[in-house]
Amino acid sequence: MKKGYKYTVTSLIIVLLLGLLGYRIQKVLVKQKDLPKSSPVQTVQVMDVGKVKKENSIDLYGSIEAINKVSVSSKLSGRVSKVAVENGQFVDAGETLVVLEDQDYQAALTNSQNILSKAQLRLSDVQKDFEQYERLLAGGALPQHDLDKAKLAVEVAQADLNSAQVGVDNAQLSTKETVIIAPMAGVVAYRSVNSGQMVSPGVPLMTLEDVSSVYATVNVKQIDLPQVKEGMVVQVMPSDDDKQVLAGEVSLISPVANQAARVFEARVKVVNKGGILKPGMFVKTRISLGSPADVLAIPVYALSGKEDAYNVYIAEGNQARQRPVEIGVTMGEQIEIKSGLQLGEKVIVTNINKLKDQDKIAIVAQ
């Protein structure tokens, strides 16, 4: 009995000791959990905020439209036999665009020509009668009223002949107009007609756009409006790479703002050498306002954030400090900094997506 009691006491002591040990271990773990975790040191590269030459200019964006364009329609009703052109195709003036079925118009022409032939024969006959009556009247063998009747018959026959000739002319014109031709040289756009389709007079079939000279229609912000004048020389670029540049001139500035966007529409006239600019194409235009100026700039890839909320990371000792900045124009791989940085400050240019404000950093050479 004493031996069993001894074992029980020993077991209780062991359990208590194990419980106490577990409690202390748990307490230590909780304390460690509550301790602030130290951020890992980020390895970064930096560049000094420097100055670059910025063109003193305004960049405006817009689209191309033809200066001269004409809507092509049929003057007749009929079924389309052939469409000879496609959208985007260049055509010369007088080139065939659409052909209508002409059987009915050819039949009408033949009928008009038959009527004209009969009218010509009728006029010839009554003229002969009139001439004979004149001779008879001169010899006293015919009364005057018979000659008057013959003269009236000639006048009626002449009127019938004139009417028949008009009918032939109209039928010939209609037959000719079954072939619709280009009224000017240009590029085919907005073609809406197909073979087999019925067409009506005046309904647009396509548009022809003369692209030898075009307008770049751009929007000018109110803040830039005082600097943009009619007659200014403009560089026009079909893309942002500035490799293809055409010369243009501001030809018109609207005196009224677009009520929705609060911008003023301006038209830049461009001689379209080589047909580089196409109607509907998006373009960049640049208006020079004077000599280039020195501005603060950093690499574009040093920026983080989003539009209207951009920031950068500055290296201050062994810490990364986040700094909001106001940006300007992009110049190649550099971007203008209007505010937020000072010349010579060290901007972090690598691993910025892994950084937070006040993170520890280690700067390495590039």
Side-chain angles (χ1 to χ4, degrees), residues 3-311:
K3 187 176 181 179
Y5 175 76
K6 183 178 181 181
Y7 285 149
T8 301
V9 172
T10 302
S11 298
L12 287 173
I13 292 172
I14 292 172
V15 170
L16 288 172
L17 289 173
L18 288 174
L20 181 60
L21 179 61
Y23 171 75
R24 290 188 174 182
I25 291 173
Q26 184 179 8
K27 193 172 181 181
V28 170
L29 291 175
V30 169
K31 285 184 178 180
Q32 288 180 344
K33 184 178 179 181
D34 292 338
L35 288 174
K37 294 182 179 179
S38 59
S39 300
V41 176
Q42 293 289 352
T43 301
V44 298
Q45 295 177 336
V46 298
M47 290 184 67
D48 291 346
V49 177
K51 286 188 176 182
V52 297
K53 291 288 185 183
K54 174 192 172 184
E55 293 291 334
N56 187 10
S57 60
I58 300 174
D59 285 351
L60 303 173
Y61 294 85
S63 59
I64 295 297
E65 61 179 275
I67 295 176
N68 298 317
K69 51 188 173 182
V70 61
S71 178
V72 177
S73 61
S74 174
K75 295 181 179 180
L76 307 172
S77 295
R79 187 179 300 277
V80 176
S81 171
K82 176 184 177 182
V83 180
V85 294
E86 298 290 342
N87 277 329
Q89 180 179 335
F90 179 84
V91 296
D92 291 315
E95 190 170 334
T96 297
L97 304 176
V98 178
V99 179
L100 303 182
E101 294 179 356
D102 66 351
Q103 295 92 325
D104 292 343
Y105 295 102
Q106 289 288 359
L109 175 59
T110 299
N111 184 56
S112 297
Q113 289 171 334
N114 290 336
I115 293 173
L116 177 62
S117 296
K118 292 177 181 178
Q120 288 171 333
L121 290 174
R122 172 62 180 164
L123 178 60
S124 177
D125 290 342
V126 296
Q127 281 179 331
K128 289 177 182 178
D129 290 344
F130 177 73
E131 291 169 359
Q132 183 180 2
Y133 286 1
E134 279 187 317
R135 289 192 295 270
L136 291 173
L137 180 65
L142 189 74
Q144 180 65 42
H145 72 273
D146 286 343
L147 182 63
D148 292 340
K149 288 172 62 178
K151 182 179 180 182
L152 179 60
V154 170
E155 292 173 351
V156 171
Q158 183 64 59
D160 289 342
L161 177 64
N162 293 342
S163 177
Q165 185 62 59
V166 170
V168 169
D169 292 343
N170 289 338
Q172 287 177 332
L173 180 60
S174 294
T175 302
K176 182 180 179 181
E177 288 176 343
T178 59
V179 179
I180 302 170
I181 62 174
M184 69 175 192
V187 174
V188 177
Y190 309 112
R191 198 200 88 179
S192 60
V193 63
N194 295 292
S195 296
Q197 180 179 330
M198 292 296 296
V199 297
S200 300
V203 176
L205 306 178
M206 65 188 70
T207 300
L208 288 183
E209 301 190 350
D210 177 9
V211 294
S212 58
S213 291
V214 295
Y215 282 133
T217 302
V218 298
N219 293 321
V220 183
K221 295 179 181 178
Q222 182 173 331
I223 192 172
D224 295 326
L225 190 62
Q227 302 178 85
V228 181
K229 308 292 183 185
E230 291 182 7
M232 275 186 158
V233 176
V234 182
Q235 291 179 305
V236 181
M237 293 149 278
S239 61
D240 276 334
D241 60 13
D242 298 357
K243 291 180 180 178
Q244 291 180 311
V245 180
L246 286 83
E249 180 181 298
V250 178
S251 62
L252 177 69
I253 302 172
S254 173
V256 181
N258 179 296
Q259 292 300 309
R262 299 294 178 181
V263 293
F264 294 80
E265 183 179 284
R267 284 186 168 181
V268 177
K269 186 176 182 180
V270 189
V271 177
N272 191 16
K273 294 181 180 178
I276 294 173
L277 303 176
K278 313 293 184 185
M281 179 182 284
F282 184 73
V283 293
K284 178 174 78 173
T285 66
R286 178 170 294 160
I287 303 175
S288 178
L289 301 176
S291 301
D294 289 330
V295 296
L296 295 181
I298 62 171
V300 174
Y301 49 82
L303 277 179
S304 60
K306 58 184 180 180
E307 188 173 359
D308 297 329
Y310 289 110
N311 54 68

